[in-house]
Amino acid sequence: MVYFRKQEKFKERAEELFLKERKRILRVVLNADIQHIGSTAIPGSLTKGDLDIQVRVRQKDFKKAQNALSKIYKSNKGNPPTKTYASFKDDSATIPLGVQLTVIGSKEDNFTALRNILVRDKKQLGKYNALKKRYQGKSMREYRKAKGKFVEKILKTKV
């Protein structure tokens, strides 16, 4: 089951955790572009109350970054790794934490673009929040499926 609340309820905790984890990641992944992504980074959005971080690296640094992150986070088995993407999590953090490692310019390197679109386009943010409201209290799997279609569509039209 998935439940959403206003982003403002988690903003401060998410930002504090982001700053802490950013420092932690930079100690093991040098030269990474680290971004606060996801709904806690988007004013006015609905959120599950988790923090999402994107770690962007060059292709030549990907394997080393993947190995380093695997030493400080658990692999997210729900998102299988590829040659340009790996997903990690830490459910023991002050709020649930997801870390997405992407190669800059790869097909998976779209998290920051999506965040930026939703921050500046209130109409699209309204549609995203409406989608979340439709799935309130329903299956996470079904929500993720609908979210995937929404994200794919918005990125095609806006990027």
Side-chain angles (χ1 to χ4, degrees):
M1 302 301 217
V2 63
Y3 296 95
F4 301 99
R5 291 176 231 115
K6 292 183 178 181
Q7 173 264 0
E8 294 81 5
K9 292 184 181 214
F10 298 93
K11 180 181 177 181
E12 190 174 310
R13 282 190 289 165
E15 190 59 32
E16 286 173 9
L17 182 59
F18 170 72
L19 294 173
K20 177 184 162 202
E21 294 301 316
R22 184 179 188 281
K23 287 179 187 175
R24 185 177 182 200
I25 293 166
L26 282 172
R27 283 196 294 268
V28 298
V29 182
L30 306 177
N31 301 318
D33 175 23
I34 302 171
Q35 298 284 327
H36 179 181
I37 57 168
S39 294
T40 54
I42 303 166
S45 68
L46 295 175
T47 178
K48 297 185 308 283
D50 56 347
L51 169 64
D52 290 298
I53 296 174
Q54 181 181 12
V55 179
R56 303 174 71 232
V57 297
R58 296 173 298 190
Q59 181 70 64
K60 71 181 189 104
D61 299 323
F62 180 77
K63 265 296 187 208
K64 187 176 179 182
Q66 186 178 14
N67 290 334
L69 291 174
S70 70
K71 291 182 172 111
I72 58 176
Y73 302 113
K74 290 181 181 176
S75 178
N76 185 345
K77 304 290 185 203
N79 297 320
T82 69
K83 292 179 181 180
T84 56
Y85 171 79
S87 181
F88 303 90
K89 66 180 184 171
D90 183 353
D91 294 330
S92 68
T94 54
I95 59 176
L97 170 66
V99 177
Q100 314 307 319
L101 173 65
T102 62
V103 168
I104 296 169
S106 68
K107 68 177 183 167
E108 297 94 345
D109 186 34
N110 58 19
F111 297 99
T112 348
L114 177 64
R115 179 205 58 202
N116 293 345
I117 290 166
L118 294 173
V119 164
R120 70 175 184 263
D121 189 334
K122 300 305 177 202
K123 184 177 178 182
Q124 292 300 330
L125 177 58
K127 289 178 182 180
Y128 192 35
N129 282 340
L131 181 144
K132 290 178 177 185
K133 287 177 183 176
R134 282 195 305 277
Y135 286 89
Q136 181 83 310
K138 296 183 180 169
S139 157
M140 176 67 84
R141 189 171 62 82
E142 292 300 314
Y143 161 68
R144 285 192 173 143
K145 186 176 173 182
K147 174 186 171 183
K149 289 178 183 176
F150 175 84
V151 168
E152 190 177 311
K153 182 179 176 186
I154 195 173
L155 288 172
K156 277 184 184 176
T157 60
K158 296 288 183 172
V159 175

